[in-house]
């Protein structure tokens, strides 16, 4: 009823009464009809104001009309067309900006589009810096230009351009929360990783105002495709923002934590109470608050499931009462970090160098100070005041340590033993050494040990990172400690040589040597289950006819798919020659029937239909055609390389009388 009354007053030309009634109706019940009624009478008001030269009044009315369009339902497109013509009349630069936006958004050539985005941004910047500034009606489109500018400049953006773009954006009055507003936060997080300490993220986040700007989607994590159908979760926008903000506070050694940090943490904790990132954030907040004892316990629990270089550096600050352990934690951070330009590493290196000087390791301390000076020179930074003081404490003539990261491995051992002391050690044997190509950095190829437990658990680790000596470690047994992060493979964190005999832990297989291949430099074996194997070695190591036992492990080199089975290779470790009589007991008893005798040769057939011959001298009794006996041996399968035909025959190692219950 209100809509009809408003439209009737509008038709009569009584706009003042129509506007008053439409506002009251909209305030009482904001819906499609009340929104439409208020919009159309305001259009008449704006039109009259433009005709009378009252542009400022018209601009205010247009701004109010902007807020009504979303609630107008099916009539919104028609209203948008009417509003567009009004905007061009009352808003400076509206038509020009609209044309520039449409131009680069429809441009197909990415290079031309990038140039047009840059030109549009420069134009917006000039309007922003002018005396008139940016009209409120331009703000939503200017926000889109800023976002597109971040996107197009990508990693080539400069810090001055970032500051200009953020200065414009933070001056805008736009819809919050909104997808565009959240995208800006995501883009600022990206440029923060480029400029690190040169960009004040907490200042931006405070002005961005999470309380008003976050959407429900910004809290949600997404699961990617990973192993065992439980792929790693992608951190939410809030996760990333909170992590960057807290790390910035830690780098600045702030003691006062902004209230918004606690609000974000509380929200995440309610959504993901047992999450490792939440537990890490909680530990960091206690560290910032000065609750050292609580923080120390929490950091140790976090490192049991989540090992990152920076966390070790933060742990070190809680171990100041034990300089040796503190230095070990700093060494662990330096050992694990792959990016020497991380801002927190400056503090880590400086303090580590001081501790090295205190204990007299001047060559190592000199190396750390040299790295600090090198990075400062490359990044155009000033050297810390403590740098020169520490340099003066190093005796003249000291030669810098050249061991790269080797000494970090040894220095970090006490910290690893301290943090991982409660982890149970698992005996694991080195089953193979492989060359693994890493994606980062620079597709580097590194040696990796493939470890196997008696239960068949397989892990990979870098021998250098574990402080193991060079050489062939296959067959060596270690006591291994590992952690299992939620979103990655198990990580080996500590290894010590084991005093146990691997042959007592792993099942042994017995085999008979049938030949030697000089081309393969390997012996041919057939085990007690009639399976063929090749044992690498020199020809003089064993003799044909020897019995050996060994640890047999299987390595999957191709995972199964619906179209093909898994492909495995056998790895033979720790071979030993054994007594034939002892070896024969591992070969199964096979019932057989004598089908013929020829002089000293006996031909038999097993219950499975496989035939074989052996010398009568092997049998403890005289055998005749039709006799039953039991044999120990193996089935030898051979494929003719010309015809492809495969034949099998039984190789007899010993003959035994038929058991009494079968006579």
């Amino acid at each position: 009823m209100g809509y009809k009354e408003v439209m009737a007053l509008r038709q009569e030309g009584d706009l003042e009464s129509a506007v008053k009634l439409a506002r009251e109706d909209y305030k009482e019940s904001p819906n499609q009809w009340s929104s439409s009624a208020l919009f159309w009478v305001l259009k008449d008001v704006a039109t009259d104001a433009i005709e009378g030269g009252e542009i400022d009044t018209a601009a205010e009315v247009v701004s109010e009309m902007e807020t009504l369009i979303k609630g107008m339902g099916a009539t919104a497109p028609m209203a948008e067309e009417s509003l567009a013509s009004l905007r061009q009349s009352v808003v400076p630069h509206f038509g020009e900006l609209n044309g520039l936006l449409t131009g680069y958004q429809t441009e197909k050539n990415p290079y031309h589009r990038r140039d047009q985005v840059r030109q549009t941004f420069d134009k917006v910047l000039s309007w922003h810096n002018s005396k008139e500034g940016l009209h409120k009606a331009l703000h939503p489109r200017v926000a889109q230009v800023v976002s597109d500018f971040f996107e197009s400049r990508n990693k080539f953006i400069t810090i001055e351009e970032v500051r200009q773009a953020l200065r414009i954006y933070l001056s805008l009055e736009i819809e919050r929360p909104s997808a565009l507003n959240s995208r800006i936060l995501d883009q600022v997080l990206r440029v923060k990783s480029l400029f690190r300490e040169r960009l004040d993220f907490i200042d931006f986040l405070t002005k961005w105002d999470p309380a008003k700007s976050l959407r429900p989607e910004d809290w949600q994590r997404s699961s990617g495709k990973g192993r065992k159908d439980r792929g790693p979760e992608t951190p939410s926008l809030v996760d990333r923002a909170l992590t960057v903000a807290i790390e910035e506070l830690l780098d600045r050694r702030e003691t006062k934590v902004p209230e918004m940090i606690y609000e974000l943490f509380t929200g995440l904790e309610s959504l993901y109470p047992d999450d490792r990132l939440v537990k890490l954030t909680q530990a960091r907040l206690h560290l910032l608050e000065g609750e050292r004892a609580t923080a120390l316990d929490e950091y140790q629990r976090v490192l049991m499931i989540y090992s990152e270089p920076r966390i070790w550096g933060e742990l070190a600050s809680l171990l100041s009462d034990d300089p040796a352990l503190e230095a070990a934690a700093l060494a662990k951070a330096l050992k694990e970090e792959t990016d020497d330009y991380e801002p927190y590493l400056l503090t880590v290196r400086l303090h580590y160098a001081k501790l090295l000087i205190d204990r007299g390791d001047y060559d190592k301390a000199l190396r750390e100070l040299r790295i600090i000076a090198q990075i400062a020179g490359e990044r155009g930074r000033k050297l810390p005041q403590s740098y020169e003081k520490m340099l003066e404490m190093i005796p003249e003539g000291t030669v810098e340590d050249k061991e790269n990261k080797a000494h970090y491995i040894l220095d970090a051992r006490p910290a690893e033993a301290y943090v991982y002391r409660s982890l149970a050690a698992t005996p694991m044997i080195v089953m193979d050494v492989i060359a693994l190509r890493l994606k980062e950095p620079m597709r580097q190829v590194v040696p990796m040990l493939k470890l196997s437990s008696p239960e068949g658990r397989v892990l990979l680790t870098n021998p250098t990172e574990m402080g193991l000596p060079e050489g062939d470690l296959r067959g060596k047994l270690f006591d291994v400690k590992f952690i299992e992060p939620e979103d990655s493979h198990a990580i080996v964190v500590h290894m010590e040589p084991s005093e146990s005999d691997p042959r007592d832990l792993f099942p042994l297989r017995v085999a008979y040597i049938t030949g030697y291949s000089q081309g393969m430099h390997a012996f041919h074996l057939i085990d007690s289950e009639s399976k063929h194997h090749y044992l690498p070695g020199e020809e003089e190591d064993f003799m044909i006819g020897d019995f050996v036992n060994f640890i047999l492990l299987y390595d999957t080199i191709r995972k199964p798919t619906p179209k093909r089975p898994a492909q495995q290779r056998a790895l033979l470790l720790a071979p030993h020659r054994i007594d034939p009589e002892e070896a024969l007991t591992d070969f199964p008893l096979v019932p057989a029937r004598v089908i013929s005798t020829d002089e000293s040769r006996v031909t038999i057939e097993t219950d499975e239909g496989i035939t074989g011959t052996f010398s009568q001298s092997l049998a403890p009794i005289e055998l005749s055609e039709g006799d039953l006996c039991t044999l120990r041996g193996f089935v030898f399968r051979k494929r003719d390389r010309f015809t492809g035909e495969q034949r099998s025959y039984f190789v007899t190692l010993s003959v035994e009388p038929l058991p009494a219950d079968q006579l």
Side-chain angles (χ1 to χ4, degrees):
M1 190 67 180
Y3 179 82
K4 291 182 178 180
E5 291 177 356
V6 171
M7 291 297 104
L9 290 172
R10 178 191 179 206
Q11 190 172 5
E12 293 173 4
D14 188 358
L15 287 180
E16 184 176 349
S17 300
V19 170
K20 182 179 179 181
L21 180 59
R23 288 190 194 282
E24 292 174 354
D25 191 28
Y26 179 75
K27 184 177 180 180
E28 181 180 345
S29 178
N31 54 42
Q32 177 180 344
W33 299 105
S34 60
S35 298
S36 297
L38 182 56
F39 179 89
W40 293 116
V41 294
L42 287 178
K43 175 182 179 294
D44 291 347
V45 173
T47 303
D48 290 348
I50 292 171
E51 291 175 355
E54 300 175 3
I55 301 300
D56 291 341
T57 302
E60 291 178 6
V61 174
V62 168
S63 296
E64 185 177 357
M65 293 169 67
E66 296 262 8
T67 65
L68 299 171
I69 287 184
K70 284 190 176 181
M72 292 179 64
T75 60
M78 186 187 305
E80 180 63 45
E81 291 181 10
S82 297
L83 191 58
S85 61
L86 288 175
R87 289 192 194 107
Q88 295 191 32
S89 301
V90 301
V91 179
H93 314 301
F94 183 87
E96 183 179 359
L97 178 58
N98 218 33
L100 291 170
L101 263 171
T102 304
Y104 74 67
Q105 287 175 346
T106 56
E107 176 59 58
K108 303 293 185 183
N109 188 309
Y111 299 103
H112 293 168
R113 184 180 190 277
R114 183 186 61 194
D115 292 340
Q116 290 175 18
V117 171
R118 178 57 187 265
Q119 293 168 11
T120 304
F121 177 78
D122 289 342
K123 183 74 72 173
V124 167
L125 180 63
S126 67
W127 296 338
H128 177 267
N129 294 336
S130 67
K131 184 179 179 181
E132 295 78 14
L134 292 169
H135 191 278
K136 185 177 179 180
L138 293 178
H139 288 191
R141 287 164 177 76
V142 170
Q144 184 65 55
V145 171
V146 171
S147 177
D148 292 339
F149 180 69
F150 275 127
E151 196 68 33
S152 66
R153 291 290 288 162
N154 200 2
K155 61 183 179 180
F156 300 106
I157 197 168
T158 65
I159 186 63
E160 185 55 35
E161 289 173 339
V162 171
R163 288 170 179 156
Q164 289 173 345
L166 294 184
R167 192 161 54 247
I168 294 173
Y169 184 77
L170 293 173
S171 70
L172 303 177
E173 295 180 28
I174 63 169
E175 180 186 1
R176 300 173 188 236
S178 68
L180 176 60
N181 194 45
S182 296
R183 190 181 311 127
I184 290 289
L185 176 58
D186 178 71
Q187 291 167 328
V188 172
L189 284 167
R190 177 175 55 80
V191 298
K192 171 66 176 177
S193 67
L194 295 175
F195 298 106
R196 308 189 186 196
E197 72 273 22
R198 297 174 65 191
L199 180 62
D200 190 334
F201 178 73
I202 292 179
D203 178 65
F204 166 77
L205 189 62
T206 303
K207 295 174 181 176
W208 189 82
D209 195 356
K212 295 181 180 178
S213 300
L214 285 172
R215 305 173 300 154
E217 302 94 314
D218 298 333
W219 296 85
Q220 301 303 315
R221 299 173 179 176
S222 59
S223 295
K225 293 181 179 180
R227 65 189 184 100
K228 297 182 181 178
D229 298 324
R230 64 163 185 88
E233 278 191 331
T234 302
S236 67
L237 185 63
V238 177
D239 282 318
R240 293 162 52 212
L242 183 59
T243 298
V244 170
I246 290 182
E247 289 180 354
E248 190 171 87
L249 289 172
L250 289 168
D251 289 340
R252 296 178 186 173
R253 300 190 177 184
E254 294 280 354
T255 56
K256 185 177 180 181
V257 180
E259 186 61 32
M260 69 172 177
I261 299 296
Y262 291 108
E263 292 172 357
L264 292 176
F265 171 70
T266 302
L268 283 175
E269 189 179 31
S270 64
L271 290 171
Y272 313 104
D274 298 321
D275 179 67
R276 67 179 192 183
L277 286 176
V278 171
K279 293 183 183 299
L280 173 59
T281 302
Q282 187 176 47
R284 285 172 162 174
L285 287 174
H286 284 134
L287 175 60
L288 287 166
E289 293 162 352
E291 299 178 11
R292 300 177 65 84
T294 304
L296 180 59
D297 290 341
E298 291 174 343
Y299 267 98
Q300 291 182 76
R301 285 196 292 270
V302 167
L303 284 167
M304 298 288 278
I305 58 172
Y306 186 36
S307 182
E308 289 292 328
R310 185 184 177 103
I311 305 176
W312 287 95
E314 294 165 13
L315 174 69
S317 65
L318 299 167
L319 300 172
S320 54
D321 55 342
D322 188 339
L325 206 53
E326 182 182 15
L330 293 171
K332 178 72 173 177
L334 293 168
K335 167 194 167 186
E336 299 292 335
E337 184 58 78
T338 57
D339 185 354
D340 287 337
Y341 297 100
E342 281 286 353
Y344 81 92
L345 281 183
L346 174 63
T347 304
V348 170
R349 289 194 189 281
L350 278 171
H351 197 51
Y352 184 54
K354 180 182 180 302
L355 293 173
L356 290 173
I357 291 172
D358 291 344
R359 73 186 192 194
D361 289 338
Y362 299 114
D363 56 340
K364 296 178 183 178
L366 186 60
R367 177 180 183 275
E368 298 302 325
L369 293 175
R370 193 268 304 163
I371 294 175
I372 291 171
Q374 177 184 339
I375 293 175
E378 291 175 359
R379 291 300 173 98
R381 301 171 181 165
K382 291 183 179 180
L383 287 170
Q385 293 181 352
S386 57
Y387 174 84
E388 292 295 338
K389 295 179 181 178
M390 282 193 282
L391 204 58
E392 293 172 359
M393 297 170 67
I394 297 176
E396 290 187 16
T398 300
V399 179
E400 176 191 324
D401 178 33
K402 299 293 184 181
E403 281 298 319
N404 197 12
K405 287 192 174 184
H407 68 269
Y408 296 150
I409 296 170
L410 295 176
D411 286 358
R413 288 295 181 88
E416 294 170 340
Y418 172 73
V419 170
Y420 301 126
R421 61 190 182 277
S422 62
L423 283 178
T426 302
M428 303 191 82
I429 195 170
V430 180
M431 62 189 295
D432 201 7
V433 181
I434 64 174
L436 184 69
R437 185 180 295 277
L438 303 178
K439 292 182 179 179
E440 295 292 341
M442 304 287 291
R443 295 182 60 79
Q444 181 182 1
V445 177
V446 297
M448 300 292 283
L449 300 181
K450 184 172 282 190
L451 309 172
S452 177
S453 70
E455 297 75 27
R457 178 70 184 267
V458 176
L459 300 176
L460 288 177
T461 188
N462 186 318
T464 304
E465 294 294 319
M466 291 295 109
L468 300 179
E470 296 181 358
D472 190 356
L473 297 175
R474 286 176 295 182
K476 303 294 183 183
L477 190 71
F478 292 88
D479 289 326
V480 179
K481 293 184 177 184
F482 58 90
I483 61 175
E484 298 190 79
E486 297 171 358
D487 60 354
S488 72
H489 299 276
I491 301 172
V492 175
V493 294
H494 201 63
M495 287 178 65
E496 292 288 348
S498 174
E499 296 181 358
S500 303
D501 187 345
R503 298 170 63 85
D504 295 336
L505 300 174
F506 292 82
L508 298 178
R509 187 69 64 88
V510 174
Y512 180 77
I513 298 179
T514 64
Y516 182 79
S517 170
Q518 293 183 341
M520 297 176 64
H521 294 282
F523 292 93
H524 179 247
L525 291 73
I526 300 182
D527 66 20
S528 55
E529 297 181 1
S530 299
K531 294 182 178 179
H532 295 240
H533 304 285
Y534 284 97
L535 174 65
E538 299 300 325
E539 196 168 1
E540 61 271 13
D541 293 346
F542 300 101
M543 296 180 62
I544 297 174
D546 278 347
F547 289 91
V548 294
N549 67 5
F550 49 85
I551 297 172
L552 178 63
L553 302 174
Y554 284 98
D555 180 24
T556 301
I557 59 177
R558 188 180 69 190
K559 294 181 179 180
T561 67
K563 295 184 178 180
R564 64 184 185 188
Q567 184 178 346
Q568 293 184 317
R569 59 170 177 161
L571 299 171
L572 282 60
L573 302 176
H576 280 69
R577 183 186 287 108
I578 58 174
D579 181 79
E581 292 186 5
E582 177 188 347
L584 284 172
T585 60
D586 284 273
F587 287 83
L589 283 170
V590 179
R593 179 183 295 277
V594 178
I595 57 176
S596 68
T597 58
D598 181 13
E599 297 180 355
S600 62
R601 306 295 295 174
V602 178
T603 303
I604 55 89
E605 184 179 36
T606 69
D607 289 352
E608 296 179 353
I610 299 174
T611 60
T613 62
F614 59 86
S615 173
Q616 178 71 50
S617 61
L618 277 177
I621 58 175
E622 187 76 21
L623 293 172
S624 302
E625 184 176 340
D627 287 348
L628 299 176
C629 60
T630 54
L631 314 176
R632 291 185 190 269
F634 54 84
V635 178
F636 191 92
R637 298 177 179 86
K638 186 174 183 180
R639 185 185 297 275
D640 189 296
R641 64 182 189 177
F642 296 108
T643 64
E645 181 183 357
Q646 179 174 300
R647 55 186 297 263
S648 301
Y649 55 91
F650 191 83
V651 177
T652 304
L653 298 176
S654 71
V655 183
E656 299 181 18
L658 197 67
D661 60 348
Q662 297 183 25
L663 291 174

